[in-house]
Amino acid sequence: MRYALILAGGRGTRLWPMSTRELPKQLIPFIGGRSLLQIAVERLAGLLPADHVYICADEAYRRQILSHLPTIRKAQFIGEPTGRDTLNAVGLSAAVLSRQDPEAVIGVFTADHLIRPEDEFRQIVARGYELAQRPEPTLVTFGVTPSFAATGYGYLQLGPQLDESGARVVQQFKEKPDAAVAQQYLAAGPNQYLWNSGMFVWRASVLMRCIASYAPQNFQGLQRCRDAWGTPQQQAVLEREYPQLPKISVDYAVMEPASRDPAVTVAALPMPLQWLDVGSWPSFGQTCPKDHAGNAASGGRQLLLDTRNTLVVSSEQDHLIAAIGVEDLIVIHTPRATLVCRADQAERIKQLHQQIGEQHGPEWL
């Protein structure tokens, strides 16, 4: 049967100070009053039954996420004792689902994306499920048409067409390029390069065989977790084994070696839709309405005089942010902290986050 897995891990450090340990980015209701996780669940409505949608996230957020998502039951939450990157999150989930359904076909999505139109998204994903159910071992990914020379995304280098669905063989995965190389990929066009969306579909059994072949140490630990799942030893085994698993992404550990393995087909389905990875304040700014000077705002009150291309966000509706004569800034206000930085320095918020923890303590994170 078909299942969906939404990865809702990560701390969202580049969205500090609004994203915190108590309220990580996937739970912040800052997209029209809805959270990214709510949107991710709603986007799958009609594609498969509600009880086939699973969430994989930090165990510490179990109660918070389940109360946030009324359609998700306890059994549909797979908790990680600690974050060990995407290979282990999808591997644990596939191991658990294959234990209850050996024929499970899993679509993997994230709680970071805004995608429109949603009807077309569901149609493309449905083709992905069909492709993953081929008799041949097939790993399906979705490639987004690049709209600019992005250096923050990985790329898919496309090979020949696979079938009439429009799927293409993935010739090679390209990691985040520098500006010059990204410009070359953009100029080559979407028939040669697509953004790597981080969304996949595969049979659980095929994924587990790939992990066994390419990442045997991870596979052995995941199998021990699988064998204990549903038994009184489940939590003890999970807490012992999972933190010891090598930390690595599914792209590095599985997708890249699979693309070189003649026994496995890695296929990309083009997804020519509006796609936004809301992982930083500049990307969040793209979701906000803008005034004639290019300023974007969300929450609270603002008064901006002679100000251009500035993002202003407040978590307090009765808080006023005023600015005069500034350009290209990011201003984020919460009751606990205020961030001011140049827009072109937004990637350094992660570095700032680390230093705040070191100098002021984890309570500020």
Side-chain angles (χ1 to χ4, degrees):
M1 298 184 73
R2 296 178 179 182
Y3 301 86
L5 173 69
I6 299 174
L7 301 181
R11 300 290 185 181
T13 54
R14 290 181 297 160
L15 287 167
W16 184 87
M18 197 166 285
S19 179
T20 64
R21 292 184 178 186
E22 288 75 26
L23 189 68
K25 69 174 180 179
Q26 59 268 30
L27 297 178
I28 303 170
F30 61 177
I31 309 291
R34 296 185 299 160
S35 71
L36 289 166
L37 184 52
Q38 285 175 317
I39 292 169
V41 171
E42 292 167 6
R43 189 162 52 233
L44 296 170
L47 185 63
L48 66 173
D51 61 355
H52 282 211
V53 177
Y54 283 68
I55 308 292
C56 182
D58 192 318
E59 178 65 32
Y61 296 120
R62 173 185 289 270
R63 182 176 297 179
Q64 201 171 354
I65 287 175
L66 290 176
S67 64
H68 190 70
L69 301 172
T71 63
I72 303 298
R73 298 174 299 148
K74 291 181 180 179
Q76 293 167 250
F77 182 91
I78 299 173
E80 298 178 282
T82 185
R84 300 303 293 169
D85 217 326
T86 55
L87 173 68
N88 297 304
V90 299
L92 175 65
S93 303
V96 169
L97 285 170
S98 65
R99 181 183 172 95
Q100 67 187 46
D101 180 0
E103 301 301 319
V105 181
I106 306 171
V108 179
F109 310 95
T110 77
D112 300 315
H113 299 162
L114 296 178
I115 305 172
R116 297 186 182 91
E118 293 187 352
D119 284 347
E120 292 183 26
F121 163 80
R122 287 187 284 268
Q123 291 171 15
I124 294 170
V125 171
R127 293 205 298 272
Y129 278 105
E130 294 171 0
L131 200 57
Q133 291 176 288
R134 298 188 330 148
E136 301 83 2
T138 304
L139 303 173
V140 180
T141 186
F142 299 92
V144 176
T145 302
S147 56
F148 63 97
T151 58
Y153 301 145
Y155 288 73
L156 307 173
Q157 183 178 5
L158 303 179
Q161 185 165 316
L162 184 63
D163 60 20
E164 64 279 357
S165 72
R168 302 280 294 278
V169 173
V170 176
Q171 185 172 318
Q172 194 172 356
F173 283 77
K174 300 286 190 178
E175 285 309 307
K176 299 174 183 178
D178 60 29
V181 173
Q183 188 60 51
Q184 292 174 14
Y185 293 168
L186 181 67
N191 284 326
Q192 294 190 44
Y193 292 96
L194 296 173
W195 283 339
N196 181 7
S197 71
M199 297 183 288
F200 310 96
V201 184
W202 43 51
R203 279 184 276 152
S205 58
V206 171
L207 175 68
M208 296 309 293
R209 287 203 301 271
C210 288
I211 296 175
S213 296
Y214 314 138
Q217 186 177 347
N218 297 77
F219 177 78
Q220 291 164 11
L222 292 169
Q223 280 295 97
R224 287 190 282 270
C225 294
R226 179 186 188 275
D227 292 341
W229 203 265
T231 74
Q233 292 75 42
Q234 172 183 316
Q235 201 59 32
V237 172
L238 188 62
E239 290 177 0
R240 183 185 70 238
E241 296 289 340
Y242 200 81
Q244 305 304 317
L245 298 175
K247 191 174 184 179
I248 188 170
S249 74
V250 70
D251 295 276
Y252 277 125
V254 170
M255 302 303 286
E256 288 191 9
S259 68
R260 300 188 294 268
D261 186 344
V264 180
T265 298
V266 178
L269 272 172
M271 191 173 272
L273 308 177
Q274 298 176 44
W275 177 84
L276 182 64
D277 183 351
V278 187
S280 65
W281 285 119
S283 61
F284 173 78
Q286 295 181 48
T287 73
C288 303
K290 294 186 178 180
D291 65 15
H292 66 282
N295 300 307
S298 176
R301 297 171 178 268
Q302 307 85 29
L303 181 59
L304 308 177
L305 298 180
D306 298 326
T307 293
R308 298 174 57 81
N309 302 323
T310 291
L311 172 65
V312 176
V313 181
S314 174
S315 63
E316 294 187 296
Q317 293 304 312
D318 292 330
H319 186 85
L320 172 65
I321 296 176
I324 303 174
V326 299
E327 292 187 25
D328 303 316
L329 287 187
I330 294 172
V331 182
I332 313 296
H333 170 82
T334 74
R336 289 278 288 164
T338 299
L339 168 72
V340 180
C341 79
R342 284 188 359 216
D344 63 1
Q345 297 292 304
E347 287 297 317
R348 297 184 64 193
I349 295 174
K350 193 170 185 177
Q351 174 189 348
L352 177 71
H353 186 271
Q354 179 179 346
Q355 293 186 16
I356 289 170
E358 294 170 353
Q359 296 182 26
H360 297 280
E363 64 270 22
W364 295 96
L365 304 180

